[in-house]
Every structure is written in C-alpha cells, then in structure tokens.
C-alpha cells in the first residue's frame, strides 16, 4: 500500500484535553487523570492513534495531516449514558406523578406506539440526533417490548457507526395487554434479536427485564437462562428506585431476602449487569452488588423529577467495597439528554444528601466511570492510543455567562465545576464518532 493510502484517513485535533486513568473516588484527582493544556489527538481507522502534548506530537505528523484547532475548548472522551429509554423521548417532561402512576399514565401509553415501524424509526432517528447534539457517544438503552422497536434502534445505531447497548423490554405482567409478552415469547424474541444484532459492528445486546414487578418469576428465570446461553450480552433493569416499588417487589417475591436478591436468585447479577437507580438498598445489598461486580446507573434528574429519592453516592463508592457506577439520564423520567445537566443534578442530589461530589468525580462518572460500569473501559471512556475515537469538543465559553464566569476560575476543578453547573447542549462544539465528525454545532 502506498504511503498516501496508509495516511488517507488520518485526522487530528488540537485543544486542551482531559481524560481519566483511574477512579477519583478511590484516589486523589491528580493521580487518576491526565490534563493537557495543549494537546493533539490523532485519529485513524476509527481509533485514537496518538494523544499527547502538542509539542511532542506535532513533529511526528506528516505534512498531509491537517490539524483542526479548537480554541477555548476541552477535548473529552464522549459522554456515556448508562441508562436511558429511547421510546420515552416523546413523553419527556410529562409530570406530576410518582413512578408507578407515571408508568401507567404516560409510559405504557407512549410505548404502545412502537408497534408502528415508521414511528419507531422516526423516534430512533430523533433520539440519536439528540444524543450526538449532547455529546453522548454510547448509551445503554431500553427499547419497548416489541422487537420492531429494537430493530429500529440498532439499525439507526449501525447507520451512525456508534457503540451502543440496547434490548427488548421483557414484561409479562402489570402492564396493558398490548405491551406485554410471555416468559416464552420474551425469551424467543430476545434470542432472535441477539442473533440478529449482538456483536455486529459496535452493537451489544442487553437482556432487559423491565423490573422485578413487571416480570413473573418464570420470565426472570428465562432471562437468566438466556444470559447463560449468551454470556457476552448484558442484563439491564431497574432496582430500588422508590420505596413503594420496594414494598411491591417484597410482596411479589416473599421468599427473597430483598429486592436485589430477586435478581440474584434468577442469575441476573454480576459483570455486564446494569441496574438503574439503587436508592433504597441495605448495606448487605451494597456488599452483594460490589462483590458480584454488578453496576449501578445513577439517574439524578429522573430521581428528582419523579421525587423518587436521593441516591447515596458515598455508599456506592465506599472505598472498602466500591461499586461500579455510571451516570445516566433515565430519560423520559429524566429531564435532559445533557450529561452536563445530569452531572449538575448529581451534585445537587449529593448535596441534599449531605455529601460532596467534586466536578472531577462527576466528569469521571460520565466518561471512564460509566465505561467501567459497562465493562467497556478497554474501548471507550478515555483518550489513549488504541481506544475508539469517540470524543467530544467542549466549548468552554458556550454562553456569555460561562465566558464571563470562566475569567474568575483559577484551577481545573473550578473550571470543570462551572462547566457542569452552567453548561448544557450548547457547550458541545463537536462530537466525533469513530474518528468522524458526527455533529458540529452551528458556528
Ligand atoms: N421502572 C420500571 N420501568 C421504568 C421506567 O420506564 N422508567 C423509570 N424511571 N423507572 C422504571
Ligand atoms: Zn429507567
């Protein structure tokens, strides 16, 4: 191959950059992150080829490589949303209810519309547009109970060359008949979807029982059996989101020691299992979550919107038995696609619970922390040679107020704090997927 062919797909960007190498809940911030005030990041064949200080990288680049300069910006790994419902994009901001009433009144109505493939395709298209506009490059996504909603989701992800996790909701009770399956049908349809999508390009399947209250024991048993047949797939569900839900699950599963024990009993916990919320958990449950390698998706805007409660980040990240935690929107109960807004909400939830959450920790939860929760930290969530070139360019002066406020920041932590407290979709200057610009904000 001629040299010019080898280098044909190379592109490079230059700006300040930040990435994590470790967990800032377990170590000091300085020891677990790389901050470069003037970095160059080189991309080729969908991956990061080089990343380092500009004065080191620049002399190594051939004359054919143009370097795109982003002033007043920060290159970050793409944000990762570790729990989100794409069919609920049409009911975001439907308020006034607690979880179970919100599901009955809005969610279970909206999700029935996904029997129509055109509707599913259009919603998926809009969903991915919004992810990219907000700098989210990977997400763990709930579809509806109907396989067509999953096909629409993965087809759109594949078209955009994105690394995505998703699955068909399993639900065989406590929902309208038009939105339920059976243990056998749920198993068969999920299996067919795994065969169709899992491992294709950058797509991953998640076996997705909605939550213990909407699946019979037979369905959870079948889900566990399916996971054992396809151990490289994921499991995703909900856990201990509200007190009323905890009480309901306790009544439905009287033989189990607690909510998490229901999933444990049916073989649905461990690495590559992701549970949204985890607000009402005992210390014994936290210990089991930690030792099993199960991950929790922290969904702060959703928890505030539904009034579900305050997630205990200190309990989750207890250094004696740390749990993998990813940040998540949980849209449509969550109120924003923006992981910056979600970080700000996580900070507010921590404060209301009498806890601290640094900006460094919040950015970690939305990038490398979430990648660790998804067991994908060898591919996404950090800036380093060999990683997928999924990244964003954050505009550090995206509004007049932020531009003004940034003049009065002295440290990186302060600057990150301002970005997470005041920033939103306008802060995303560009989103790169597999080395290509997938979204660029209008100049
Ligand atoms: N628990 C069961 N289903 C759902 C859902 O769709 N959203 C939220 N927030 N919690 C749930
Ligand atoms: Zn959810």
């Amino acid at each position: 191959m001629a040299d010019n062919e080898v280098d044909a797909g190379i592109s490079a960007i230059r700006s300040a950059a930040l990435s994590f190498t470790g967990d800032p809940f377990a170590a000091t911030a300085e020891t677990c992150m790389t901050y470069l005030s003037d970095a160059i990041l080189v991309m080729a064949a969908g991956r990061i080829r080089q990343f380092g200080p500009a004065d080191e990288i620049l002399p190594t680049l051939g004359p054919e490589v143009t370097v795109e300069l982003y002033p007043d910006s920060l290159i970050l790994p793409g944000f990762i949303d570790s729990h989100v419902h794409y069919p609920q994009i049409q009911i975001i901001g439907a308020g006034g209810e607690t979880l179970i009433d919100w599901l009955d009144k809005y969610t279970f109505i909206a999700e029935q519309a996904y029997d129509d493939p055109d509707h599913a395709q259009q919603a998926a298209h809009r969903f991915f547009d919004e992810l990219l506009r907000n700098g989210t490059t990977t997400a763990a996504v709930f579809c509806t109970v109907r396989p067509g909603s999953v096909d629409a989701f993965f087809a759109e992800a594949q078209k955009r060359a994105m690394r995505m996790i998703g699955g068909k909701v399993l639900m065989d009770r406590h929902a309208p008949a038009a939105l339920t399956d059976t243990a056998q049908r749920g198993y068969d349809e999920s299996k067919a979807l795994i065969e169709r999508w899992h491992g294709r390009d950058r797509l991953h399947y998640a076996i997705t029982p909605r939550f213990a209250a909407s699946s019979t024991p037979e369905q959870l048993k079948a889900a566990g059996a399916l996971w054992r047949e396809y151990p490289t797939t994921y499991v995703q569900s909900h856990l201990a989101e509200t007190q009323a839900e905890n009480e309901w699950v306790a009544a439905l599963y009287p033989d189990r020691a607690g909510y998490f024990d229901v999933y444990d009993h049916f073989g649905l916990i461990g690495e590559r299992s992701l549970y949204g919320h985890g607000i009402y958990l005992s210390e014994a449950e936290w210990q089991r979550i930690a030792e099993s390698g199960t991950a929790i998706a922290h969904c702060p805007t959703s928890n505030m919107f539904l009034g579900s409660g305050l997630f205990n980040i200190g309990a989750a990240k207890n250094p004696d038995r740390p749990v993998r935690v990813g940040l998540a929107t949980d849209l449509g109960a969550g109120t924003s696609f923006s992981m910056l807004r979600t970080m700000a909400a996580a900070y507010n939830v921590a404060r209301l619970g009498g806890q601290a959450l640094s900006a460094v920790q919040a950015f970690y939860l939305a990038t490398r922390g979430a990648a660790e929760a998804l067991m994908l930290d060898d591919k996404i969530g950090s800036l380093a040679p060999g990683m997928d070139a999924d990244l964003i360019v954050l505009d550090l002066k995206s509004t007049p107020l932020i531009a003004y406020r940034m003049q009065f920041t002295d440290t990186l932590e302060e600057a990150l704090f301002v970005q997470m407290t005041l920033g939103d979709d306008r802060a995303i200057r560009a989103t790169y997927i597999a080395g290509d610009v997938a979204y660029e904000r209008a100049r």
Side-chain angles (χ1 to χ4, degrees), residues 393-412:
V393 181
L394 200 72
D395 177 356
L396 297 175
K397 298 183 175 176
S398 60
T399 71
L401 176 61
I402 294 174
Y404 177 74
R405 177 65 179 86
M406 286 295 282
Q407 295 174 41
F408 303 98
T409 59
D410 295 323
T411 64
L412 176 63

Side-chain angles (χ1 to χ4, degrees), residues 83 85 88 99-100 102-103 107-108 111 142 171 210-211 214 238-239 241 245 259 277 299 302-303 306 308 330-334:
H83 179 115
H85 302 252
Q88 295 175 13
L99 171 65
I100 305 303
W102 176 85
L103 286 172
T107 315
F108 292 162
E111 292 189 8
F142 286 59
M171 181 157 58
R210 180 168 218 123
F211 66 148
S214 61
H238 295 86
L239 171 70
E241 181 176 357
E245 173 200 3
Y259 197 160
H277 307 291
C299 311
S302 165
N303 298 157
L306 296 178
S308 302
D330 191 32
L331 188 140

Side-chain angles (χ1 to χ4, degrees), residues 66-283:
T66 50
V67 181
E68 170 102 39
L69 191 66
Y70 286 106
D72 297 324
S73 297
L74 182 68
I75 302 168
L76 288 165
F79 291 136
I80 299 167
D81 185 346
S82 54
H83 179 115
V84 56
H85 302 252
Y86 100 80
Q88 295 175 13
I89 187 171
Q90 69 192 73
I91 51 154
I92 186 168
E97 311 292 338
T98 54
L99 171 65
I100 305 303
D101 292 337
W102 176 85
L103 286 172
D104 288 337
K105 193 165 165 183
Y106 306 116
T107 315
F108 292 162
I109 309 298
E111 292 189 8
Q112 291 180 44
Y114 288 73
D115 289 357
D116 173 1
D118 288 342
H119 182 83
Q121 196 277 328
Q122 282 163 26
H125 185 87
R126 179 59 63 105
F127 176 78
F128 280 95
D129 280 354
E130 283 298 318
L131 289 183
L132 293 171
R133 265 177 23 77
N134 284 278
T136 299
T137 50
T138 290
V141 181
F142 286 59
C143 303
T144 77
V145 79
R146 295 291 165 245
S149 72
V150 186
D151 289 330
F153 165 77
F154 277 127
E156 195 65 35
Q158 189 177 40
K159 208 159 69 185
R160 298 175 190 240
M162 291 173 77
R163 189 174 287 288
M164 278 286 148
I165 300 170
K168 169 199 129 66
V169 162
L170 298 165
M171 181 157 58
D172 66 345
R173 62 171 164 175
H174 300 140
L179 210 59
T180 52
D181 52 13
T182 64
Q184 187 63 46
R185 182 176 169 190
Y187 171 92
D188 291 342
E189 289 178 345
S190 300
K191 186 172 177 136
L193 288 163
I194 291 170
E195 292 287 345
R196 198 172 317 147
W197 293 109
H198 183 62
R200 254 170 90 174
D201 298 335
R202 295 204 291 163
L203 308 177
H204 308 260
Y205 193 83
I207 298 162
T208 307
R210 180 168 218 123
F211 66 148
S214 61
S215 285
T216 59
E218 293 69 38
Q219 182 159 67
L220 294 184
K221 190 172 167 204
L226 186 60
W227 199 24
R228 282 191 296 280
E229 275 178 66
Y230 295 95
T232 62
T233 61
Y234 289 81
V235 164
Q236 60 180 352
S237 190
H238 295 86
L239 171 70
E241 181 176 357
T242 72
Q243 263 161 337
E245 173 200 3
N246 269 32
E247 285 160 20
W248 192 20
V249 170
L252 291 170
Y253 295 89
D255 297 338
R256 303 273 58 91
Y259 197 160
F260 190 62
D261 189 46
V262 174
Y263 297 125
D264 193 345
H265 178 76
F266 291 106
L268 293 167
I269 70 162
E271 292 181 351
R272 275 187 308 285
S273 73
L274 315 164
Y275 285 90
H277 307 291
I279 297 174
Y280 300 99
L281 294 168
S282 66
E283 175 53 27

